[in-house]
Amino acid sequence: MKCWFLLFCLFIGAYLPTHAKLSVDDPGQRLLVGHSLARYTGPENSDFSTVSSSSAFQSLNRDVPNLGTSPNAIWLRLPIKNNTQQDLDFLLEIAYPLLDEIELYSPSENGAYQSIKLGEHQNFSSRKYKVANYVFDIHLPRKSEKVFFLRIKSTEQVILPIYLSSKRQFVRQMNSDSLLSGIYIGIVFIMAIYNLFLFFSVRERGYLYYVLYVACAGITQMGIKGYSFQYLWPSWPYFATKGPIIFGCLSGLFALLFAGSFLRLSKNAPRSRPIITIFIAFFVSGTILALIGQTQLAFFVMQVTTGAGSLFVLYLSYRIMISGYKPAKYFVYGWTVLLLGSVVFLLKDYGILDYNNFTSNAVQIASVIEMALLSFGLAYSINILKQENEEAYNRELAISQENARLISEQNVILEQKVGERTRELTESNTSLQTTLEHLKEAQSQLVEAEKMASLGQLTAGVAHEINNPINFVTANITPLKRDINMIWATLDEVERIAFNPDISDNEKQVQIKKFKDDLDIDYLKTEVDFLLQGMGDGAHRTAEIVKSLRIFSRVDEDTLKFADINEGLASTLVILNSLINNSIEVEKNYGNLPRVECYAGKLNQVFMNIITNAVYAINKKFADDSGGKLSIETGVTADESGIFVKIADNGIGIPENIRDRIFEPFFTTKDVGEGTGLGMSIAYNTIAKHHGKIIVESEEGEGTAFTLHIPIQQRDWHQNNPE
């Protein structure tokens, strides 16, 4: 009996509130304060004076407390101790935007408490910190302890990830959260726009339901993160508390409509339609309840209907999938991923899983995967429908051909007409062949026009490079004007003192020396020299850029001229200076080259295309990190009849399976909008026009080297290679 009593006492002692205070030992900390929070357990609807003097507090003992839903205000106590030797200005951040009211009571210097109130019931513009979460200023004198109180009220579930952090750590975390949410919103926007275009193209209702579902789900997630209130309706607090519930109901409604269209429930599961209609009615009811002010009831209806409806639709999709309808597998996989993400999110809320970036964004991650899978499944479903239509068309075509064969066997005259028609088609084919040749010529002209257009656009971009030295010169004008005015003032003062007959020569010298010392005339001379030198450097740099631009964009494209290849490479690097960032090391090893007979402007275009691709490959591998290397080497070939230009990089390399296609027109491995696929085709044709060759060496993951061989004189090439 004594043993049982001892065990009972130990069990009770383990759950007694500890009221652990929060200690700050480092000015740069970011602390999760959940374990230091204590909840007021006294009478409900108590005022602050009652709460602050009460001892009825129970420690929460959780990193991220989940306090459920409550119609009354929730009071929390947070003791904080500053163990450092300096005064600290921290930020208290409540990273849960779905709170109707949150009020912080902080002690002042005289011991009295002052309160600051935030929440979704106030305009967003009233917040000091324009972020989705609630942020309060916390001042902690050195080696001191303060007790803060929080009053929280919300119609929805109260989850409290609360952080105490320095301003630098807070800004860093806000940037990280904004980046993740921005990526999610961008993906949702792209999904919606892309499938909306598909809807206008194919006029299939499933695409419209999918677009509406994706849009509402995205706005719901934005609302949960607080971005809807921040960006969509910051001056409409009434809608801030209802927006996530309304759009949550609408996303569930459109998800059911999409499921009915995608899974073809009228055909594959006709008996499920009444149940789907009931779920839709509940979602509509939740929306209406939210609009009329029954927010807590609407939230409950939305949660229950979403959970039950999701499980029912998952069951239906699984049954339809095993019955043989292949597109249903995308729905099963997508819905399963979404439910798993929701489970992870809920386990995080109830403290079973740790609160981190993954668990707090689990629903968003799962939602993106689900949207992508449903988009693929929708396309697959449309393809199946298209395939079925094509098969029906082919059957009808086969019947028509059989009828035509029977008719042709019975009518010899028709055979003769077919022969005549065949000869006409042959003549028409000859005409089409001629037209095709003309089209090829037009295509060549299009390639040339595209090349010159891109060249003009890139050359115009050199204005960015010119702006830097020009701005430097402009910035020096004002201080130089000021210094010159001071010099004029010095001359005027010296003249006034020198011509004053009432002052002795010694006194004049003393006054002049004092005036010069006051102006610090020696430093003034040094500063004027420095400003003039800076303006000279800026003007010299501008002249170099303009010279490089003139060399790069030669206008003598139609005639062969002898040109300095090294000079052309140097001008190309100046033009691409803004593209080559500081993280890429450029190694130049120019040989002593003779002047080469060539179309200099066209070769500069080749250099630009190859170097641009090299920089792209380096950035793909290293991004903004250091380690990228671009090397350019020139020299004379072994037989001294030509020169070579080798441009190498340590980027991602070219896969072996596409290495033979890099010179094909319009072939590119870049993303949409990053390249047209004409650059290397133009380079290949330009080198071929110079009777040279391009040698490509590449190892995937290690880098690529392009070696250009160009004859020094074109006439010598013709003599050694007669046609």
Coordinates of all heavy atoms in Angstrom, one line a residue, residues 191 195 207 210 262 327 330 369-383:
M191 N 0.0 27.2 -61.5 CA -0.9 26.1 -61.7 C -2.2 26.6 -62.2 O -2.8 26.1 -63.1 CB -1.1 25.2 -60.4 CG 0.1 24.4 -60.1 SD 0.2 22.9 -61.0 CE 1.5 22.0 -60.1
N195 N -3.6 26.0 -66.1 CA -4.8 25.2 -66.4 C -6.0 26.0 -66.8 O -6.9 25.5 -67.5 CB -5.2 24.4 -65.1 CG -4.2 23.2 -64.9 OD1 -4.4 22.2 -65.4 ND2 -3.2 23.5 -64.0
Y207 N -11.1 21.3 -65.9 CA -10.1 22.3 -65.8 C -10.6 23.5 -65.0 O -9.9 24.1 -64.1 CB -9.6 22.7 -67.1 CG -8.6 21.7 -67.7 CD1 -8.9 20.9 -68.8 CD2 -7.3 21.7 -67.2 CE1 -8.0 20.0 -69.3 CE2 -6.3 20.8 -67.8 CZ -6.7 20.0 -68.8 OH -5.8 19.1 -69.4
Y210 N -10.8 22.6 -61.4 CA -9.5 22.5 -60.8 C -8.9 23.9 -60.5 O -8.3 24.1 -59.5 CB -8.6 21.7 -61.8 CG -7.1 21.6 -61.4 CD1 -6.7 20.7 -60.4 CD2 -6.2 22.5 -61.9 CE1 -5.4 20.7 -60.0 CE2 -4.9 22.4 -61.5 CZ -4.5 21.5 -60.6 OH -3.2 21.5 -60.2
F262 N -13.6 14.7 -62.6 CA -12.3 13.9 -62.9 C -12.6 12.4 -62.9 O -12.1 11.7 -63.7 CB -11.2 14.4 -62.0 CG -9.9 13.6 -62.2 CD1 -9.1 14.1 -63.2 CD2 -9.6 12.6 -61.4 CE1 -7.8 13.4 -63.3 CE2 -8.4 11.9 -61.6 CZ -7.5 12.3 -62.5
P327 N -6.8 7.0 -64.8 CA -6.5 8.3 -64.2 C -6.8 8.4 -62.7 O -6.3 9.4 -62.1 CB -7.5 9.2 -65.0 CG -7.7 8.5 -66.3 CD -7.7 7.0 -65.9
Y330 N -3.8 9.0 -60.1 CA -3.3 10.3 -59.8 C -4.1 10.9 -58.6 O -3.5 11.6 -57.7 CB -3.3 11.2 -61.0 CG -2.4 10.8 -62.1 CD1 -2.8 10.0 -63.1 CD2 -1.1 11.2 -62.0 CE1 -1.9 9.6 -64.1 CE2 -0.2 10.9 -63.0 CZ -0.6 10.0 -64.1 OH 0.3 9.7 -65.1
I369 N 2.3 19.2 -54.0 CA 2.4 17.9 -54.7 C 1.1 17.4 -55.2 O 1.0 16.9 -56.3 CB 3.1 16.9 -53.7 CG1 4.5 17.4 -53.3 CG2 3.1 15.5 -54.2 CD1 5.1 16.5 -52.2
E370 N 0.1 17.6 -54.3 CA -1.3 17.1 -54.7 C -1.8 17.9 -56.0 O -2.3 17.3 -56.9 CB -2.2 17.3 -53.6 CG -3.7 16.9 -53.8 CD -4.7 18.0 -53.7 OE1 -4.3 19.2 -53.5 OE2 -5.9 17.7 -53.7
M371 N -1.6 19.2 -56.0 CA -2.0 20.0 -57.2 C -1.3 19.5 -58.4 O -1.9 19.4 -59.5 CB -1.7 21.5 -56.9 CG -2.6 22.1 -55.9 SD -2.1 23.8 -55.5 CE -3.2 24.2 -54.2
A372 N 0.0 19.2 -58.3 CA 0.8 18.8 -59.5 C 0.3 17.4 -59.9 O 0.1 17.2 -61.1 CB 2.3 18.7 -59.1
L373 N 0.0 16.5 -59.0 CA -0.5 15.2 -59.4 C -1.8 15.3 -60.0 O -2.1 14.6 -61.0 CB -0.5 14.3 -58.2 CG 0.9 13.8 -57.6 CD1 0.7 13.0 -56.3 CD2 1.6 12.9 -58.7
L374 N -2.7 16.1 -59.5 CA -4.0 16.2 -60.0 C -4.0 16.9 -61.4 O -4.7 16.5 -62.3 CB -4.9 17.1 -59.1 CG -5.3 16.5 -57.8 CD1 -6.2 17.4 -57.0 CD2 -6.0 15.1 -58.0
S375 N -3.0 17.8 -61.6 CA -2.9 18.4 -62.9 C -2.4 17.4 -64.0 O -2.9 17.3 -65.1 CB -1.8 19.6 -62.8 OG -1.7 20.2 -64.1
F376 N -1.4 16.5 -63.5 CA -1.0 15.5 -64.4 C -2.2 14.5 -64.7 O -2.4 14.1 -65.9 CB 0.2 14.7 -63.8 CG 1.4 15.5 -63.6 CD1 2.3 15.3 -62.6 CD2 1.7 16.6 -64.5 CE1 3.4 16.0 -62.4 CE2 2.8 17.3 -64.3 CZ 3.7 17.0 -63.3
G377 N -2.9 14.2 -63.7 CA -4.0 13.2 -63.9 C -5.1 13.8 -64.8 O -5.7 13.1 -65.6
L378 N -5.3 15.1 -64.7 CA -6.3 15.8 -65.5 C -5.9 15.7 -67.0 O -6.7 15.4 -67.9 CB -6.5 17.2 -65.1 CG -7.7 18.0 -65.7 CD1 -9.0 17.2 -65.4 CD2 -7.8 19.4 -65.1
A379 N -4.6 16.0 -67.2 CA -4.1 15.9 -68.6 C -4.2 14.5 -69.1 O -4.5 14.2 -70.3 CB -2.6 16.4 -68.6
Y380 N -3.8 13.5 -68.2 CA -3.9 12.1 -68.6 C -5.4 11.7 -68.9 O -5.6 11.0 -69.9 CB -3.4 11.2 -67.5 CG -3.3 9.8 -67.8 CD1 -2.5 9.3 -68.8 CD2 -4.1 8.9 -67.1 CE1 -2.4 7.9 -69.1 CE2 -4.1 7.5 -67.3 CZ -3.2 7.0 -68.3 OH -3.2 5.7 -68.6
S381 N -6.3 12.2 -68.1 CA -7.7 11.9 -68.4 C -8.2 12.5 -69.7 O -8.9 11.8 -70.5 CB -8.6 12.5 -67.2 OG -9.9 12.3 -67.5
I382 N -7.7 13.7 -70.0 CA -8.1 14.3 -71.3 C -7.5 13.5 -72.5 O -8.1 13.4 -73.5 CB -7.7 15.8 -71.3 CG1 -8.4 16.6 -70.2 CG2 -7.9 16.4 -72.7 CD1 -9.9 16.6 -70.3
N383 N -6.3 13.1 -72.2 CA -5.6 12.3 -73.3 C -6.3 11.0 -73.6 O -6.5 10.5 -74.7 CB -4.1 12.0 -72.9 CG -3.3 13.2 -73.0 OD1 -3.6 14.1 -73.8 ND2 -2.2 13.3 -72.3

